[in-house]
Amino acid sequence: MKFEPVTIKQMARDLNLGISTVSRALHDSHEISEETKKRVVAYAKKLNYIPNPIALSLREKRNKSIGIVISQFNNPFCSQVVHGMESSFYSQGYQVSIVQTDESAEKEMKAIQYLSFRVDGLLVSISSETKNIDHLKDLYEKGMPIVFYDRICADLQTHMTISDNYRGAYEATRHLLDQGCRRVAFVGGAVTQSIVQERKAGYLQALEDGGINVDPKWIHYLPKGGVHYVETEVAMDRLMRLPKNKRPDGLLTAWDKVTADAYRYLRRHDISMPGELALIGFSNFPLTDFVSPSLSVVQQQSEKLGEVAAGQLLSLLQSKRKPAKFHTEVLMPEIIIRESSSKLSSGEKEPLKVKNKD
Amino acid sequence: MKFEPVTIKQMARDLNLGISTVSRALHDSHEISEETKKRVVAYAKKLNYIPNPIALSLREKRNKSIGIVISQFNNPFCSQVVHGMESSFYSQGYQVSIVQTDESAEKEMKAIQYLSFRVDGLLVSISSETKNIDHLKDLYEKGMPIVFYDRICADLQTHMTISDNYRGAYEATRHLLDQGCRRVAFVGGAVTQSIVQERKAGYLQALEDGGINVDPKWIHYLPKGGVHYVETEVAMDRLMRLPKNKRPDGLLTAWDKVTADAYRYLRRHDISMPGELALIGFSNFPLTDFVSPSLSVVQQQSEKLGEVAAGQLLSLLQSKRKPAKFHTEVLMPEIIIRESSSKLSSGEKEPLKVKNKD
DNA sequence: TTGTACGCGTTATCAA
DNA sequence: TTGATAACGCGTACAA
């Protein structure tokens, strides 16, 4: 089966008219007789004629659409971000087309190449496997408006919107210390990801400020970024099998999926939270308030992040040339303290919210 | 800013060659001298030349990509389905482009129109607001391969892949009756959705088979399909404010978001599960096993559903003409019984699984 | 071995 | 008021 759309040429033949006459009729030109105009419009409607946007693209070099490159929407944070982006573009008449990379560098390259000729701008969150972004750089130098969100890439100077990962991790780690934890572990996603590095930096600084000497055994990255449960499982096994005096009593997980899987691991192995291990993690999952024990999280402003990034892209789309200056917008995540990390008063209580300053 | 790609014409000018010579060189034609071939290839590589797929589309009337129309990936079921679809297409060299409709009929129409000229086939799950599918029918009649998944539309005869919603709801309702419930309520999504209707039919049949007279007050649809918490809240309020002898003691929720929101409602209002109300609902949310009380669910085979639908579309893409016969693939959901619906032995216990037969 | 011309579907320009 | 023609980028049949 193949789609065979109605064309102007076809209609012109059917109506015994010139191609351009038909075109003009459909564009409501004045320089055409009322009669033929009506005849053409009626026929086009009958055949459900739609101008071929591919042909228009070729001519006008404009697609009226933008592309979003996402790692996996099988991640509430990502889907929330996309939702924030879409509303902005929709109101401006842009179509939004989304492509998943599944954390694969190869898929990412293909996805970007695919989108590049079909959209007017790109919102990109780099995959965790990606090392080489020459293809993106090249695209950018040829004039493609590109905005990074969430996971940035310092090699390419353009607008970006990110969370304050450093501070989110810093405050979360500090909270664990305040609760009496002295051996705080860190399980990140992929070592290559900007967000994981920023979060680790915040974690390390909080430990240093708290006068804690970090044991390198407390720090784990996950080879494939933590997409599968087993990765987190291996890291958790290593942590929990440390001799008792080295075993962590607190844990910061630095990626949504890892947080959920660490929680799953602890419940499966009957390791009590926060008694044996206090847990707080980056997560935008729903239902974290109803699991038992309820889960403390560092929650990003996902929708807002999407909106801000969308705004940046729209401004690039409208500007005549590459702007001289680029902005990096930073959003503060919310720290929501719940049972899984509350060692001091471990009974039920209202969750304490560290609200954003802005 | 605007993307200005390198073209063959540009390179031909730069190298003082004819356009077709450049084209041939890049296609490794024999009828060309080694020297010019090398020269062209080297230059193209230097400029990172990529053939314009838009121009190729126009010429070859083939896009090597397929489109997925989804309501909202802010729904684990949907993202799982998409994941299942993608792997099939990726291995066949198709790019996958995804568009969200947000349950809006207008967005759906625009999305489909947008995709129709840019992809070779369409996987569609109809939005809950959609009443008129003339645009889809028209597309289909003009040869566009279309496969429905999850939410079907009887008006259009083509391949479909769905869950056995009827049986899933039937078994779930029956389970509630087995647990001693006598007044089982039903909260669905949008009244227009095929899946909601199928699920209601299963629910009604189970009640009839159990000798229960249905009170119409037990049945609620949600105006916008339940995308927002308030919709479920209103329905739950109505149910729980019924006089005690009419108030439901069991509840089947017929859509993922509604299930999560009903659970949220019951926890917020301190209505005990399963004591005051036994709850089971359609849901593919993660973490339902760790909420407290753990949540009984009817869980669809989401990835599988995506794979099967993808297979159907691939077969349409390969077939010469419209097939004479269309298949509807039906997948049995899993019923996972947990605490929220276990009235008989309300202590901790191994979740009982009703496994699929196939 | 290379260059020219055509067609894919459109719109804009020019000529009739 | 209408119709033929060029252009967008590409590949290919044909001519040189």
Side-chain angles (χ1 to χ4, degrees):
Chain A
M1 285 180 85
K2 204 166 69 180
F3 181 41
E4 277 164 15
V6 180
T7 69
I8 278 193
K9 191 195 252 184
Q10 180 59 248
M11 293 195 293
R13 211 164 10 211
D14 294 352
L15 296 171
N16 262 326
L17 287 172
I19 294 179
S20 53
T21 309
V22 175
S23 175
R24 266 186 295 244
L26 294 171
H27 285 264
D28 207 20
S29 168
H30 335 269
E31 39 177 288
I32 202 168
S33 78
E34 272 303 315
E35 196 208 0
T36 42
K37 190 193 285 185
K38 272 186 188 159
R39 210 157 62 97
V40 170
V41 169
Y43 192 63
K45 181 149 201 174
K46 186 184 152 210
L47 264 51
N48 278 307
Y49 166 77
I50 296 173
N52 187 329
I54 295 289
L56 290 177
S57 266
L58 196 58
R59 240 186 90 79
E60 299 173 8
K61 301 174 162 213
R62 209 183 44 151
N63 307 87
K64 264 298 181 185
S65 72
I66 67 104
I68 300 180
V69 178
I70 206 176
S71 54
Q72 294 204 97
F73 8 54
N74 192 353
N75 174 339
F77 168 73
C78 292
S79 48
Q80 289 156 20
V81 168
V82 171
H83 197 263
M85 293 171 170
E86 288 210 319
S87 46
S88 309
F89 290 109
Y90 190 72
S91 59
Q92 300 279 318
Y94 282 94
Q95 259 294 335
V96 173
S97 162
I98 306 162
V99 176
Q100 266 190 115
T101 66
D102 245 330
E103 308 288 2
S104 143
E106 187 205 345
K107 284 191 193 173
E108 181 177 86
M109 218 181 65
K110 287 192 179 167
I112 289 172
Q113 198 179 102
Y114 171 77
L115 287 174
S116 59
F117 288 84
R118 294 168 163 91
V119 299
D120 303 321
L122 237 30
L123 284 160
V124 180
S125 185
I126 226 75
S127 100
S128 55
E129 213 191 53
T130 304
K131 277 154 198 156
N132 185 320
I133 60 149
D134 287 350
H135 57 296
L136 258 182
K137 263 192 198 163
D138 181 61
L139 216 55
Y140 184 71
E141 269 151 30
K142 286 176 182 153
M144 175 66 75
I146 298 176
V147 166
F148 286 116
Y149 68 92
D150 186 39
R151 309 177 184 177
I152 62 175
C153 196
D155 288 5
L156 180 52
Q157 284 296 314
T158 181
H159 293 328
M160 319 180 177
T161 304
I162 54 177
S163 286
D164 195 334
N165 292 298
Y166 177 91
R167 246 188 82 202
Y170 183 91
E171 300 291 351
T173 309
R174 194 178 168 118
H175 156 72
L176 290 176
L177 297 177
D178 289 346
Q179 295 293 310
C181 297
R182 283 299 164 263
R183 298 181 300 279
V184 178
F186 175 93
V187 179
V191 66
T192 48
Q193 277 175 33
S194 57
I195 50 173
V196 174
Q197 286 308 319
E198 293 159 22
R199 289 167 191 181
K200 197 187 80 169
Y203 154 82
L204 288 176
Q205 188 62 49
L207 289 190
E208 191 182 322
D209 291 357
I212 308 275
N213 285 322
V214 184
D215 185 332
K217 291 208 172 72
W218 294 343
I219 299 177
H220 285 278
Y221 295 108
L222 304 182
K224 302 218 49 165
V227 280
H228 300 114
Y229 176 75
V230 280
E231 300 178 61
T232 301
E233 189 176 35
V234 168
M236 293 300 292
D237 273 344
R238 292 222 182 114
L239 285 176
M240 301 317 288
R241 283 177 188 160
L242 287 172
K244 206 158 191 180
N245 62 331
K246 297 222 169 185
R247 194 182 307 156
D249 53 7
L251 171 61
L252 171 66
T253 46
W255 197 51
D256 296 50
K257 185 69 172 19
V258 176
T259 301
D261 284 344
Y263 185 89
R264 188 170 292 274
Y265 177 94
L266 294 169
R267 284 288 307 268
R268 278 195 186 163
H269 290 74
D270 271 323
I271 296 166
S272 77
M273 292 173 272
E276 285 180 76
L277 187 76
L279 173 66
I280 184 169
F282 279 77
S283 172
N284 280 52
F285 271 65
L287 296 182
T288 49
D289 45 342
F290 288 132
V291 294
S292 179
S294 59
L295 183 53
S296 299
V297 293
V298 182
Q299 189 175 296
Q300 299 179 75
Q301 298 189 58
S302 46
E303 289 238 359
K304 180 83 180 288
L305 197 150
E307 285 167 26
V308 173
Q312 291 182 320
L313 184 54
L314 282 170
S315 89
L316 285 187
L317 287 170
Q318 278 145 22
S319 80
K320 278 285 169 216
R321 62 193 76 257
K322 252 175 249 185
K325 266 202 165 175
F326 293 108
H327 299 288
T328 300
E329 298 281 352
V330 180
L331 299 175
M332 184 59 202
E334 264 182 59
I335 314 241
I336 303 175
I337 308 300
R338 300 206 188 94
E339 291 165 359
S340 71
S341 69
S342 299
K343 282 201 166 191
L344 294 185
S345 59
S346 59
E348 289 276 346
K349 60 168 191 175
E350 269 305 285
L352 167 79
K353 277 198 180 184
V354 176
K355 263 291 183 185
N356 308 320
K357 293 193 174 163
D358 43 5
Chain B
M1 286 181 83
K2 205 167 71 181
F3 180 42
E4 278 164 14
V6 180
T7 68
I8 277 194
K9 189 197 255 185
Q10 180 59 250
M11 295 195 293
R13 210 164 12 211
D14 295 351
L15 297 171
N16 262 326
L17 288 170
I19 295 179
S20 58
T21 310
V22 175
S23 174
R24 267 184 294 241
L26 294 171
H27 285 263
D28 205 23
S29 167
H30 346 268
E31 38 177 288
I32 204 167
S33 78
E34 271 304 315
E35 196 207 1
T36 41
K37 189 192 285 187
K38 272 186 188 159
R39 209 157 64 97
V40 170
V41 169
Y43 191 64
K45 182 149 203 175
K46 187 184 152 211
L47 263 51
N48 277 307
Y49 167 78
I50 297 173
N52 187 330
I54 294 288
L56 289 177
S57 266
L58 197 58
R59 231 184 95 81
E60 298 171 9
K61 301 171 162 218
R62 209 183 46 151
N63 307 87
K64 262 298 180 187
S65 73
I66 67 103
I68 300 180
V69 178
I70 205 175
S71 54
Q72 294 203 94
F73 8 55
N74 192 354
N75 174 337
F77 169 71
C78 292
S79 48
Q80 289 156 20
V81 169
V82 171
H83 197 265
M85 293 172 171
E86 289 210 319
S87 46
S88 310
F89 290 109
Y90 191 73
S91 59
Q92 300 278 320
Y94 281 93
Q95 258 295 335
V96 173
S97 161
I98 306 161
V99 176
Q100 266 189 116
T101 66
D102 245 331
E103 307 289 2
S104 143
E106 188 206 344
K107 284 192 194 173
E108 180 177 88
M109 218 181 66
K110 287 192 179 168
I112 289 172
Q113 198 180 99
Y114 170 79
L115 286 173
S116 59
F117 288 84
R118 294 166 164 93
V119 300
D120 303 322
L122 236 30
L123 284 160
V124 179
S125 184
I126 226 74
S127 101
S128 55
E129 214 192 50
T130 305
K131 276 154 199 156
N132 184 321
I133 60 149
D134 287 350
H135 57 294
L136 258 182
K137 262 192 199 163
D138 180 61
L139 217 55
Y140 184 72
E141 268 150 30
K142 287 177 181 152
M144 175 68 74
I146 298 176
V147 167
F148 285 116
Y149 68 94
D150 187 39
R151 308 179 185 176
I152 62 173
C153 196
D155 287 6
L156 181 52
Q157 284 296 314
T158 180
H159 292 329
M160 323 182 174
T161 305
I162 55 178
S163 286
D164 195 333
N165 293 298
Y166 177 89
R167 244 189 83 202
Y170 182 91
E171 300 291 351
T173 308
R174 195 180 168 118
H175 155 71
L176 290 176
L177 297 177
D178 289 346
Q179 295 294 310
C181 296
R182 282 301 164 263
R183 298 181 300 280
V184 177
F186 175 93
V187 179
V191 66
T192 48
Q193 277 176 32
S194 58
I195 50 173
V196 173
Q197 286 309 320
E198 292 159 22
R199 289 167 192 181
K200 196 186 80 169
Y203 154 84
L204 289 176
Q205 187 63 50
L207 289 190
E208 192 182 322
D209 291 357
I212 308 275
N213 285 323
V214 185
D215 184 332
K217 290 209 172 72
W218 295 343
I219 299 178
H220 285 278
Y221 295 108
L222 305 182
K224 302 216 48 164
V227 280
H228 300 115
Y229 176 74
V230 281
E231 299 178 63
T232 301
E233 189 176 33
V234 168
M236 292 301 291
D237 274 344
R238 292 222 183 115
L239 284 177
M240 301 318 288
R241 283 177 189 159
L242 287 171
K244 206 158 188 179
N245 63 330
K246 298 221 167 185
R247 193 183 306 157
D249 53 7
L251 171 61
L252 172 67
T253 46
W255 197 51
D256 297 49
K257 186 69 173 19
V258 176
T259 302
D261 284 344
Y263 186 88
R264 188 171 292 274
Y265 176 94
L266 293 169
R267 284 287 308 266
R268 279 195 185 162
H269 290 74
D270 271 323
I271 297 166
S272 77
M273 292 172 272
E276 284 181 75
L277 187 77
L279 174 66
I280 185 168
F282 279 79
S283 172
N284 279 54
F285 272 63
L287 295 183
T288 48
D289 44 344
F290 289 132
V291 294
S292 177
S294 58
L295 182 54
S296 299
V297 293
V298 182
Q299 187 174 298
Q300 298 178 75
Q301 299 189 57
S302 45
E303 289 238 0
K304 180 83 181 289
L305 198 151
E307 285 167 26
V308 174
Q312 291 182 319
L313 184 55
L314 282 171
S315 89
L316 285 188
L317 286 170
Q318 278 146 21
S319 81
K320 278 286 169 215
R321 61 193 76 257
K322 251 175 254 184
K325 265 203 168 175
F326 294 107
H327 299 289
T328 301
E329 299 281 351
V330 180
L331 301 175
M332 184 59 200
E334 263 182 60
I335 314 241
I336 303 175
I337 308 299
R338 300 205 188 95
E339 291 164 0
S340 70
S341 69
S342 300
K343 283 199 166 194
L344 293 186
S345 58
S346 60
E348 288 275 347
K349 62 168 191 177
E350 268 305 286
L352 166 79
K353 278 197 180 187
V354 176
K355 264 293 182 186
N356 307 322
K357 294 195 173 158
D358 43 4

